[in-house]
Coordinates of all heavy atoms in Angstrom, one line a residue:
M1 N -6.0 -10.4 -17.6 CA -6.4 -11.5 -16.7 C -5.1 -12.3 -16.3 O -4.3 -12.6 -17.1 CB -7.4 -12.5 -17.3 CG -8.6 -12.6 -16.4 SD -9.5 -14.2 -16.5 CE -8.3 -15.5 -16.5
V2 N -5.0 -12.6 -15.0 CA -3.9 -13.3 -14.5 C -4.3 -14.7 -14.3 O -5.2 -15.0 -13.5 CB -3.3 -12.7 -13.2 CG1 -2.0 -13.4 -12.8 CG2 -3.0 -11.1 -13.5
P3 N -3.6 -15.7 -14.9 CA -4.1 -17.0 -14.9 C -3.8 -17.8 -13.5 O -4.5 -18.9 -13.3 CB -3.3 -17.7 -16.0 CG -2.2 -16.9 -16.2 CD -2.5 -15.5 -15.8
Y4 N -2.9 -17.4 -12.8 CA -2.5 -18.2 -11.6 C -2.6 -17.4 -10.3 O -2.4 -16.2 -10.3 CB -1.1 -18.7 -11.7 CG -0.8 -19.5 -13.0 CD1 -0.2 -18.9 -14.1 CD2 -1.2 -20.8 -13.1 CE1 0.1 -19.6 -15.2 CE2 -0.9 -21.5 -14.3 CZ -0.3 -20.9 -15.3 OH 0.0 -21.6 -16.5
T5 N -2.9 -18.1 -9.2 CA -2.9 -17.5 -8.0 C -1.9 -18.4 -7.1 O -2.0 -19.6 -7.1 CB -4.3 -17.6 -7.2 OG1 -5.2 -16.9 -8.0 CG2 -4.2 -16.9 -5.8
C6 N -1.0 -17.7 -6.5 CA 0.0 -18.4 -5.7 C -0.6 -19.0 -4.5 O -1.3 -18.4 -3.7 CB 1.2 -17.4 -5.3 SG 2.4 -18.3 -4.3
Q7 N -0.3 -20.3 -4.2 CA -0.9 -21.1 -3.2 C -0.1 -20.9 -1.8 O -0.3 -21.5 -0.9 CB -1.0 -22.5 -3.5 CG -2.0 -22.8 -4.6 CD -3.4 -22.5 -4.3 OE1 -3.9 -22.9 -3.3 NE2 -4.0 -21.6 -5.1
S8 N 0.8 -19.9 -1.9 CA 1.7 -19.6 -0.7 C 1.3 -18.1 -0.3 O 0.8 -17.9 0.8 CB 3.1 -19.7 -0.9 OG 3.9 -19.2 0.1
C9 N 1.6 -17.2 -1.2 CA 1.5 -15.7 -0.8 C 0.1 -15.2 -1.2 O -0.2 -14.1 -0.9 CB 2.6 -14.9 -1.4 SG 2.6 -14.8 -3.2
G10 N -0.7 -16.0 -2.0 CA -2.0 -15.6 -2.4 C -2.1 -14.5 -3.5 O -3.1 -14.0 -3.9
M11 N -0.9 -14.1 -4.0 CA -0.8 -13.1 -5.1 C -1.1 -13.7 -6.4 O -0.6 -14.8 -6.7 CB 0.5 -12.4 -5.1 CG 0.9 -11.6 -3.8 SD 0.1 -10.0 -3.8 CE 1.1 -9.1 -5.0
P12 N -1.8 -13.0 -7.3 CA -1.9 -13.4 -8.7 C -0.6 -13.3 -9.4 O 0.2 -12.5 -9.1 CB -2.9 -12.5 -9.3 CG -3.0 -11.3 -8.4 CD -2.4 -11.7 -7.1
F13 N -0.3 -14.2 -10.3 CA 0.9 -14.2 -11.0 C 0.8 -14.7 -12.4 O -0.1 -15.4 -12.7 CB 2.1 -14.9 -10.3 CG 1.9 -16.4 -10.2 CD1 2.5 -17.2 -11.0 CD2 1.2 -16.9 -9.1 CE1 2.4 -18.6 -10.9 CE2 1.1 -18.3 -8.9 CZ 1.6 -19.1 -9.9
T14 N 1.7 -14.4 -13.4 CA 1.6 -14.7 -14.7 C 2.4 -16.0 -15.0 O 3.2 -16.4 -14.1 CB 2.2 -13.6 -15.6 OG1 3.5 -13.4 -15.3 CG2 1.4 -12.3 -15.4
K15 N 2.3 -16.5 -16.2 CA 3.0 -17.7 -16.6 C 4.5 -17.6 -16.4 O 5.2 -18.5 -16.0 CB 2.7 -17.9 -18.1 CG 2.9 -19.3 -18.6 CD 2.2 -19.3 -20.1 CE 3.0 -20.2 -20.9 NZ 2.8 -20.1 -22.4
E16 N 5.0 -16.4 -16.7 CA 6.5 -16.1 -16.6 C 7.0 -16.2 -15.2 O 8.1 -16.3 -15.0 CB 6.8 -14.8 -17.2 CG 6.6 -14.7 -18.8 CD 5.1 -14.7 -19.2 OE1 4.3 -14.2 -18.4 OE2 4.8 -15.2 -20.3
M17 N 6.0 -16.0 -14.3 CA 6.4 -15.8 -12.8 C 6.1 -17.2 -12.1 O 6.1 -17.1 -10.8 CB 5.6 -14.7 -12.1 CG 6.0 -13.3 -12.6 SD 7.7 -12.9 -12.1 CE 7.5 -12.7 -10.3
R18 N 5.9 -18.2 -12.8 CA 5.7 -19.5 -12.1 C 6.9 -20.0 -11.4 O 8.0 -19.8 -11.8 CB 5.3 -20.6 -13.1 CG 3.8 -20.5 -13.5 CD 3.6 -21.6 -14.6 NE 4.3 -21.2 -15.9 CZ 4.4 -22.1 -16.9 NH1 3.7 -23.3 -16.8 NH2 5.1 -21.8 -17.9
G19 N 6.7 -20.7 -10.3 CA 7.8 -21.2 -9.5 C 8.4 -22.4 -10.3 O 7.8 -22.8 -11.3
T20 N 9.5 -22.9 -9.8 CA 10.1 -24.0 -10.5 C 10.4 -25.2 -9.5 O 10.5 -25.0 -8.3 CB 11.5 -23.6 -11.0 OG1 12.3 -23.0 -9.9 CG2 11.4 -22.6 -12.1
N21 N 10.2 -26.4 -10.1 CA 10.4 -27.6 -9.3 C 11.9 -28.0 -9.4 O 12.7 -27.3 -10.1 CB 9.6 -28.8 -10.0 CG 8.1 -28.5 -9.9 OD1 7.6 -28.1 -8.8 ND2 7.4 -28.7 -11.0
R22 N 12.3 -29.0 -8.6 CA 13.6 -29.4 -8.5 C 14.2 -29.7 -9.9 O 15.4 -29.5 -10.2 CB 13.7 -30.7 -7.6 CG 15.1 -30.9 -7.0 CD 15.0 -32.0 -5.9 NE 14.2 -31.6 -4.8 CZ 14.7 -30.9 -3.8 NH1 16.0 -30.6 -3.7 NH2 14.0 -30.6 -2.7
D23 N 13.4 -30.4 -10.8 CA 13.9 -30.7 -12.1 C 13.8 -29.5 -13.1 O 13.8 -29.8 -14.3 CB 13.1 -31.9 -12.6 CG 11.6 -31.7 -12.7 OD1 11.2 -30.5 -12.5 OD2 10.8 -32.6 -13.1
K24 N 13.5 -28.4 -12.6 CA 13.5 -27.1 -13.4 C 12.2 -27.0 -14.2 O 12.0 -26.1 -15.0 CB 14.7 -27.0 -14.4 CG 16.0 -27.0 -13.7 CD 16.3 -25.9 -12.8 CE 17.7 -26.1 -12.1 NZ 17.8 -25.2 -10.9
S25 N 11.3 -27.9 -14.0 CA 9.9 -27.7 -14.7 C 9.2 -26.7 -13.9 O 9.5 -26.4 -12.7 CB 9.1 -29.1 -14.7 OG 8.9 -29.5 -13.4
F26 N 8.2 -26.2 -14.5 CA 7.4 -25.1 -13.8 C 6.4 -25.7 -12.9 O 5.8 -26.8 -13.0 CB 6.6 -24.2 -14.8 CG 7.6 -23.3 -15.5 CD1 8.0 -23.5 -16.9 CD2 8.1 -22.2 -14.9 CE1 8.8 -22.7 -17.5 CE2 9.0 -21.3 -15.5 CZ 9.3 -21.6 -16.8
N27 N 6.1 -25.0 -11.8 CA 5.1 -25.3 -10.8 C 4.0 -24.3 -10.9 O 4.2 -23.1 -10.6 CB 5.8 -25.3 -9.4 CG 4.8 -25.9 -8.4 OD1 3.7 -25.3 -8.2 ND2 5.2 -26.9 -7.7
N28 N 2.8 -24.8 -11.3 CA 1.7 -23.8 -11.5 C 1.0 -23.4 -10.2 O 0.2 -22.5 -10.2 CB 0.7 -24.5 -12.4 CG 1.2 -24.8 -13.8 OD1 2.1 -24.1 -14.2 ND2 0.6 -25.7 -14.5
D29 N 1.4 -24.0 -9.1 CA 0.8 -23.6 -7.8 C 1.4 -22.4 -7.1 O 0.7 -21.7 -6.3 CB 0.8 -24.8 -6.8 CG -0.3 -25.9 -7.2 OD1 -1.2 -25.4 -7.8 OD2 -0.1 -27.0 -6.8
Y30 N 2.7 -22.2 -7.3 CA 3.4 -21.2 -6.6 C 4.1 -20.2 -7.5 O 4.6 -20.6 -8.6 CB 4.4 -21.8 -5.7 CG 3.7 -22.8 -4.6 CD1 3.9 -24.1 -4.8 CD2 3.0 -22.3 -3.6 CE1 3.3 -25.0 -3.9 CE2 2.4 -23.1 -2.7 CZ 2.6 -24.4 -2.8 OH 2.0 -25.3 -2.0
C31 N 4.3 -19.0 -7.1 CA 5.0 -18.0 -7.9 C 6.5 -18.2 -7.6 O 6.9 -18.9 -6.6 CB 4.6 -16.6 -7.5 SG 5.1 -16.0 -6.0
I32 N 7.4 -17.6 -8.4 CA 8.8 -17.9 -8.3 C 9.4 -17.2 -7.0 O 10.4 -17.6 -6.4 CB 9.5 -17.3 -9.6 CG1 11.0 -17.7 -9.6 CG2 9.4 -15.8 -9.7 CD1 11.3 -19.2 -9.7
K33 N 8.6 -16.2 -6.5 CA 9.1 -15.5 -5.3 C 9.0 -16.4 -4.1 O 9.7 -16.3 -3.1 CB 8.3 -14.2 -5.1 CG 8.8 -13.1 -5.9 CD 8.1 -11.8 -5.6 CE 7.0 -11.6 -6.5 NZ 6.1 -10.4 -6.2
C34 N 8.0 -17.4 -4.1 CA 7.8 -18.2 -3.0 C 8.4 -19.6 -3.2 O 8.8 -20.2 -2.2 CB 6.2 -18.4 -2.9 SG 5.4 -17.0 -2.3
F35 N 8.5 -20.1 -4.4 CA 8.9 -21.5 -4.7 C 9.9 -21.6 -5.7 O 9.6 -21.3 -6.9 CB 7.6 -22.3 -5.0 CG 7.8 -23.8 -4.8 CD1 7.8 -24.3 -3.6 CD2 7.9 -24.6 -5.9 CE1 7.9 -25.7 -3.4 CE2 8.0 -26.0 -5.8 CZ 8.0 -26.5 -4.5
K36 N 11.1 -22.0 -5.4 CA 12.2 -22.1 -6.4 C 12.9 -23.4 -6.3 O 13.3 -23.8 -5.2 CB 13.1 -20.9 -6.2 CG 13.9 -20.6 -7.5 CD 14.7 -19.3 -7.2 CE 15.5 -19.0 -8.5 NZ 16.8 -18.6 -8.3
D37 N 13.2 -24.0 -7.4 CA 13.9 -25.3 -7.5 C 13.4 -26.4 -6.5 O 14.1 -27.1 -5.8 CB 15.4 -25.1 -7.1 CG 16.0 -24.1 -8.2 OD1 15.5 -24.0 -9.3 OD2 17.0 -23.5 -7.8
G38 N 12.1 -26.4 -6.3 CA 11.4 -27.4 -5.5 C 11.4 -27.1 -4.0 O 11.0 -28.0 -3.2
E39 N 11.7 -26.0 -3.7 CA 11.7 -25.5 -2.2 C 11.1 -24.2 -2.1 O 11.2 -23.3 -2.9 CB 13.1 -25.6 -1.6 CG 13.6 -26.9 -1.4 CD 15.1 -26.9 -1.0 OE1 15.7 -25.8 -0.9 OE2 15.7 -27.9 -1.0
F40 N 10.5 -24.0 -0.8 CA 10.0 -22.6 -0.6 C 11.2 -21.8 -0.3 O 12.1 -22.2 0.4 CB 9.1 -22.7 0.7 CG 7.7 -23.3 0.5 CD1 7.4 -24.4 1.0 CD2 6.8 -22.6 -0.4 CE1 6.1 -25.0 0.8 CE2 5.6 -23.2 -0.7 CZ 5.2 -24.3 0.0
T41 N 11.2 -20.5 -0.9 CA 12.3 -19.6 -0.7 C 12.4 -19.2 0.8 O 13.5 -18.9 1.2 CB 12.2 -18.4 -1.6 OG1 10.9 -17.8 -1.3 CG2 12.2 -18.7 -3.0
N42 N 11.4 -19.2 1.5 CA 11.4 -18.9 2.9 C 10.6 -19.9 3.7 O 9.4 -19.8 3.9 CB 10.8 -17.5 3.2 CG 10.9 -17.1 4.6 OD1 11.3 -17.9 5.5 ND2 10.5 -15.9 5.0
P43 N 11.3 -21.0 4.0 CA 10.6 -22.2 4.6 C 10.0 -22.0 5.9 O 9.1 -22.7 6.4 CB 11.7 -23.4 4.5 CG 12.9 -22.6 4.4 CD 12.7 -21.3 3.7
H44 N 10.5 -20.9 6.6 CA 10.0 -20.6 8.0 C 9.0 -19.6 8.1 O 8.6 -19.2 9.2 CB 11.2 -20.2 8.9 CG 12.4 -21.3 8.9 ND1 12.1 -22.6 9.3 CD2 13.6 -21.2 8.4 CE1 13.3 -23.2 9.2 NE2 14.1 -22.5 8.6
L45 N 8.5 -19.1 6.9 CA 7.5 -18.2 6.9 C 6.2 -18.7 7.5 O 5.8 -19.8 7.3 CB 7.2 -17.8 5.4 CG 6.2 -16.7 5.1 CD1 6.8 -15.4 5.5 CD2 5.7 -16.7 3.6
T46 N 5.6 -17.8 8.3 CA 4.4 -18.1 8.9 C 3.3 -17.3 8.3 O 3.5 -16.3 7.7 CB 4.4 -17.9 10.5 OG1 4.4 -16.5 10.7 CG2 5.5 -18.6 11.2
L47 N 2.1 -17.8 8.5 CA 0.9 -17.2 8.0 C 0.8 -15.7 8.5 O 0.5 -14.8 7.8 CB -0.3 -17.9 8.4 CG -1.6 -17.6 7.7 CD1 -1.5 -17.6 6.1 CD2 -2.7 -18.6 8.1
H48 N 1.2 -15.5 9.7 CA 1.1 -14.2 10.4 C 2.2 -13.3 9.7 O 1.8 -12.1 9.4 CB 1.4 -14.4 11.8 CG 1.3 -13.1 12.6 ND1 0.1 -12.3 12.6 CD2 2.2 -12.3 13.2 CE1 0.4 -11.2 13.3 NE2 1.6 -11.2 13.6
Q49 N 3.4 -13.8 9.5 CA 4.4 -13.0 8.8 C 4.0 -12.5 7.5 O 4.2 -11.4 7.0 CB 5.7 -13.7 8.7 CG 6.5 -13.8 10.1 CD 7.7 -14.8 10.0 OE1 7.7 -15.7 9.1 NE2 8.6 -14.6 10.8
L50 N 3.3 -13.5 6.8 CA 2.9 -13.2 5.5 C 1.8 -12.1 5.4 O 1.8 -11.2 4.6 CB 2.3 -14.5 4.8 CG 1.9 -14.4 3.4 CD1 3.0 -14.0 2.5 CD2 1.3 -15.8 2.9
E51 N 0.9 -12.1 6.4 CA -0.1 -11.1 6.5 C 0.5 -9.7 6.7 O 0.2 -8.7 6.0 CB -1.0 -11.4 7.7 CG -2.0 -12.5 7.4 CD -2.8 -12.9 8.6 OE1 -2.7 -12.2 9.6 OE2 -3.5 -14.0 8.6
I52 N 1.6 -9.7 7.5 CA 2.3 -8.4 7.8 C 3.0 -7.9 6.4 O 2.9 -6.8 6.1 CB 3.3 -8.6 8.9 CG1 2.5 -8.7 10.2 CG2 4.2 -7.4 9.0 CD1 3.4 -9.2 11.4
Q53 N 3.6 -8.9 5.8 CA 4.3 -8.5 4.5 C 3.3 -7.9 3.5 O 3.6 -6.9 2.8 CB 4.9 -9.8 3.9 CG 6.2 -10.1 4.4 CD 6.8 -11.4 3.7 OE1 6.4 -11.8 2.6 NE2 7.7 -12.0 4.3
L54 N 2.1 -8.5 3.4 CA 1.1 -8.1 2.4 C 0.7 -6.6 2.8 O 0.5 -5.8 1.9 CB -0.1 -9.0 2.4 CG 0.1 -10.3 1.6 CD1 -0.8 -11.3 2.0 CD2 0.1 -10.0 0.2
L55 N 0.5 -6.4 4.1 CA 0.0 -5.1 4.5 C 1.1 -4.1 4.3 O 0.8 -2.9 3.9 CB -0.4 -5.1 6.0 CG -1.7 -5.9 6.3 CD1 -1.9 -6.1 7.8 CD2 -2.9 -5.3 5.6
E56 N 2.3 -4.4 4.5 CA 3.4 -3.5 4.2 C 3.5 -3.2 2.8 O 3.8 -2.1 2.4 CB 4.8 -4.1 4.8 CG 4.9 -4.0 6.3 CD 6.1 -4.7 6.8 OE1 6.8 -5.4 6.1 OE2 6.4 -4.5 8.0
M57 N 3.4 -4.2 2.0 CA 3.4 -3.9 0.5 C 2.3 -3.0 0.1 O 2.6 -2.1 -0.7 CB 3.2 -5.3 -0.3 CG 4.4 -6.1 -0.5 SD 4.0 -7.7 -1.1 CE 3.4 -7.4 -2.7
A58 N 1.2 -3.1 0.7 CA 0.0 -2.2 0.4 C 0.3 -0.8 0.8 O 0.1 0.2 0.2 CB -1.3 -2.7 1.0
E59 N 1.0 -0.7 2.0 CA 1.4 0.6 2.5 C 2.3 1.4 1.7 O 2.1 2.5 1.5 CB 2.0 0.4 3.9 CG 1.5 1.3 5.0 CD 1.8 0.6 6.4 OE1 3.0 0.8 6.7 OE2 0.9 0.1 7.0
V60 N 3.3 0.7 1.1 CA 4.2 1.5 0.2 C 3.7 1.4 -1.2 O 4.5 1.7 -2.1 CB 5.7 0.9 0.4 CG1 6.2 1.1 1.8 CG2 5.7 -0.6 0.0
H61 N 2.5 0.9 -1.5 CA 1.9 0.8 -2.8 C 2.8 0.0 -3.7 O 3.1 0.4 -4.9 CB 1.7 2.2 -3.4 CG 0.9 3.0 -2.5 ND1 -0.5 2.8 -2.2 CD2 1.1 4.1 -1.7 CE1 -1.0 3.6 -1.4 NE2 0.0 4.5 -1.0
N62 N 3.3 -1.2 -3.2 CA 4.1 -2.1 -4.0 C 3.3 -3.1 -4.8 O 3.2 -4.3 -4.4 CB 5.1 -2.7 -3.1 CG 6.1 -3.6 -3.9 OD1 6.1 -3.6 -5.1 ND2 6.9 -4.3 -3.2
G63 N 2.5 -2.6 -5.7 CA 1.8 -3.5 -6.6 C 0.3 -3.8 -6.1 O -0.5 -4.3 -7.0
I64 N 0.0 -3.6 -4.8 CA -1.3 -3.9 -4.4 C -1.9 -2.8 -3.5 O -1.1 -2.1 -2.8 CB -1.5 -5.3 -3.7 CG1 -0.5 -5.3 -2.5 CG2 -1.3 -6.5 -4.6 CD1 -0.7 -6.5 -1.5
S65 N -3.2 -2.7 -3.5 CA -3.9 -1.7 -2.7 C -4.2 -2.4 -1.3 O -4.1 -3.6 -1.2 CB -5.1 -1.2 -3.3 OG -6.1 -2.3 -3.4
L66 N -4.6 -1.6 -0.4 CA -4.9 -2.1 0.9 C -6.1 -3.0 0.9 O -6.2 -4.1 1.4 CB -5.2 -1.0 1.9 CG -5.4 -1.4 3.3 CD1 -4.2 -2.0 3.9 CD2 -5.7 -0.1 4.2
E67 N -7.0 -2.7 0.1 CA -8.2 -3.6 -0.2 C -7.8 -4.9 -0.7 O -8.3 -6.0 -0.3 CB -9.3 -2.9 -1.1 CG -10.0 -1.7 -0.6 CD -9.1 -0.4 -0.5 OE1 -8.3 -0.3 -1.5 OE2 -9.1 0.3 0.4
E68 N -6.9 -4.9 -1.7 CA -6.5 -6.2 -2.3 C -5.7 -7.0 -1.3 O -5.9 -8.2 -1.2 CB -5.6 -5.9 -3.5 CG -6.3 -5.4 -4.7 CD -5.5 -4.9 -5.8 OE1 -4.4 -4.3 -5.5 OE2 -5.9 -5.0 -7.0
A69 N -4.9 -6.3 -0.5 CA -4.1 -7.0 0.5 C -5.1 -7.7 1.5 O -4.9 -8.9 1.9 CB -3.2 -6.1 1.3
Q70 N -6.1 -7.0 1.9 CA -7.0 -7.5 2.9 C -7.8 -8.7 2.3 O -8.1 -9.7 2.9 CB -8.0 -6.4 3.4 CG -7.3 -5.5 4.4 CD -8.1 -4.3 4.6 OE1 -8.9 -3.9 3.9 NE2 -7.7 -3.6 5.8
Q71 N -8.2 -8.5 1.0 CA -8.8 -9.6 0.3 C -8.0 -10.9 0.3 O -8.5 -12.0 0.5 CB -9.1 -9.2 -1.1 CG -10.6 -9.1 -1.5 CD -10.8 -8.5 -2.9 OE1 -10.0 -8.7 -3.7 NE2 -11.8 -7.8 -3.1
I72 N -6.7 -10.7 0.0 CA -5.8 -11.8 -0.1 C -5.7 -12.5 1.2 O -5.7 -13.7 1.3 CB -4.4 -11.4 -0.7 CG1 -4.6 -11.0 -2.2 CG2 -3.4 -12.6 -0.5 CD1 -3.3 -10.3 -2.8
I73 N -5.5 -11.6 2.3 CA -5.4 -12.2 3.7 C -6.5 -13.0 4.1 O -6.4 -14.0 4.7 CB -5.1 -11.0 4.6 CG1 -3.7 -10.5 4.4 CG2 -5.3 -11.4 6.0 CD1 -3.4 -9.1 5.1
R74 N -7.7 -12.6 3.6 CA -8.9 -13.4 4.0 C -8.8 -14.8 3.3 O -9.4 -15.7 3.9 CB -10.2 -12.7 3.6 CG -10.7 -11.8 4.6 CD -12.2 -11.4 4.3 NE -12.3 -10.6 3.1 CZ -12.2 -9.3 3.0 NH1 -12.0 -8.6 4.1 NH2 -12.4 -8.7 1.9
K75 N -8.2 -14.9 2.2 CA -8.2 -16.1 1.5 C -7.0 -17.1 1.8 O -7.0 -18.3 1.5 CB -8.2 -15.9 -0.1 CG -9.5 -15.5 -0.6 CD -9.5 -15.4 -2.1 CE -8.7 -14.2 -2.6 NZ -8.7 -14.0 -4.1
L76 N -6.0 -16.5 2.5 CA -4.8 -17.2 2.8 C -5.0 -18.6 3.4 O -4.4 -19.6 3.0 CB -3.8 -16.4 3.7 CG -3.1 -15.3 2.9 CD1 -2.3 -14.5 3.9 CD2 -2.3 -15.7 1.8
P77 N -5.9 -18.7 4.4 CA -6.0 -20.0 5.1 C -6.6 -21.2 4.2 O -6.4 -22.3 4.6 CB -7.1 -19.7 6.2 CG -7.1 -18.2 6.5 CD -6.7 -17.6 5.1
E78 N -7.2 -20.7 3.0 CA -7.6 -21.8 2.1 C -6.6 -22.3 1.1 O -6.8 -23.2 0.4 CB -8.8 -21.2 1.3 CG -9.9 -20.7 2.0 CD -10.9 -19.8 1.2 OE1 -10.8 -19.8 0.0 OE2 -11.6 -19.0 1.8
L79 N -5.4 -21.6 1.1 CA -4.4 -22.0 0.1 C -3.6 -23.2 0.6 O -3.6 -23.5 1.7 CB -3.4 -20.8 0.0 CG -4.0 -19.4 -0.5 CD1 -2.9 -18.4 -0.5 CD2 -4.6 -19.6 -1.8
K80 N -3.1 -23.9 -0.4 CA -2.5 -25.2 -0.2 C -1.4 -25.2 0.9 O -1.4 -26.0 1.8 CB -1.8 -25.7 -1.5 CG -2.7 -26.5 -2.3 CD -2.0 -27.2 -3.5 CE -2.9 -27.6 -4.6 NZ -2.2 -28.0 -5.8
R81 N -0.6 -24.2 0.8 CA 0.5 -24.2 1.8 C 0.1 -24.0 3.2 O 0.6 -24.7 4.1 CB 1.5 -23.1 1.4 CG 2.6 -23.0 2.4 CD 3.7 -21.9 2.0 NE 4.8 -22.0 2.9 CZ 5.9 -21.2 2.8 NH1 5.9 -20.3 1.9 NH2 6.8 -21.4 3.7
W82 N -1.0 -23.3 3.5 CA -1.4 -23.0 4.8 C -2.4 -24.0 5.3 O -2.6 -24.2 6.5 CB -1.8 -21.6 4.9 CG -0.9 -20.6 4.3 CD1 -1.0 -19.9 3.2 CD2 0.5 -20.4 4.8 NE1 0.2 -19.2 3.0 CE2 1.1 -19.5 4.0 CE3 1.2 -20.9 6.0 CZ2 2.4 -19.1 4.1 CZ3 2.5 -20.5 6.2 CH2 3.1 -19.6 5.3
R83 N -3.2 -24.6 4.4 CA -4.1 -25.6 4.8 C -3.3 -26.8 5.4 O -3.7 -27.4 6.3 CB -4.8 -26.2 3.5 CG -6.1 -25.5 3.3 CD -7.0 -26.3 2.4 NE -6.3 -27.0 1.3 CZ -6.5 -26.8 0.0 NH1 -7.4 -25.9 -0.4 NH2 -5.9 -27.4 -0.9
M84 N -2.2 -27.1 4.7 CA -1.3 -28.2 5.2 C -0.9 -28.1 6.5 O -0.8 -29.0 7.3 CB -0.1 -28.4 4.2 CG -0.4 -29.0 2.9 SD 1.1 -29.5 2.1 CE 1.7 -28.0 1.5
E85 N -0.6 -26.8 6.9 CA 0.0 -26.6 8.3 C -1.0 -26.9 9.4 O -0.7 -27.2 10.5 CB 0.2 -25.0 8.3 CG 1.4 -24.7 9.3 CD 1.5 -23.2 9.4 OE1 0.6 -22.5 9.5 OE2 2.7 -22.8 9.3
N86 N -2.3 -26.9 9.0 CA -3.3 -27.2 10.0 C -3.7 -28.6 10.2 O -4.5 -28.9 11.0 CB -4.6 -26.4 9.6 CG -4.3 -24.9 9.6 OD1 -3.5 -24.4 10.4 ND2 -5.0 -24.2 8.8
I87 N -3.1 -29.5 9.4 CA -3.5 -30.9 9.5 C -2.7 -31.5 10.6 O -1.6 -31.3 10.9 CB -3.1 -31.7 8.1 CG1 -4.0 -31.2 7.1 CG2 -3.2 -33.1 8.4 CD1 -3.6 -31.7 5.7
Ligands
ZN1 ZN1 3.9 -16.6 -4.0

């Protein structure tokens, strides 16, 4: 069981993969690939680019299946990072 879901990329992640805040404490909302030292690693990422990334990952079988990628994509608009964009 994976305890965390990244609120940016929608991928499940483990305790060891948590993002970090500016003060080096852990951030339970984002994975380290998305959020490091208090900033998004790719601040210009759009929801659309992320969808493409997920589908590409599924295509090369990089950790997720196509079904999983599609499931994640459906949930993306509910995640913290992308909800904020719509305000
Ligand atoms: Zn992430």
Side-chain angles (χ1 to χ4, degrees):
M1 233 212 40
V2 186
Y4 304 101
T5 301
C6 179
Q7 295 296 307
S8 168
C9 67
M11 294 281 286
F13 65 97
T14 59
K15 204 171 149 193
E16 291 72 30
M17 290 294 289
R18 281 177 295 173
T20 50
N21 297 312
R22 204 171 290 273
D23 62 4
K24 307 291 177 198
S25 62
F26 285 107
N27 188 301
N28 294 337
D29 283 339
Y30 300 107
C31 74
I32 190 67
K33 282 185 262 176
C34 291
F35 198 75
K36 201 173 177 219
D37 301 335
E39 285 172 5
F40 287 114
T41 55
N42 184 354
H44 304 298
L45 184 71
T46 66
L47 195 51
H48 182 65
Q49 283 170 339
L50 185 58
E51 287 174 10
I52 291 168
Q53 271 179 28
L54 283 161
L55 290 172
E56 280 173 355
M57 277 171 67
E59 226 161 74
V60 297
H61 305 292
N62 186 6
I64 54 170
S65 68
L66 187 60
E67 290 75 39
E68 284 167 332
Q70 284 166 342
Q71 243 173 32
I72 292 171
I73 286 169
R74 271 199 296 273
K75 281 187 289 182
L76 287 179
E78 299 164 21
L79 300 178
K80 268 187 199 172
R81 181 172 183 183
W82 308 113
R83 269 199 322 239
M84 280 191 287
E85 207 182 49
N86 296 328
I87 291 171

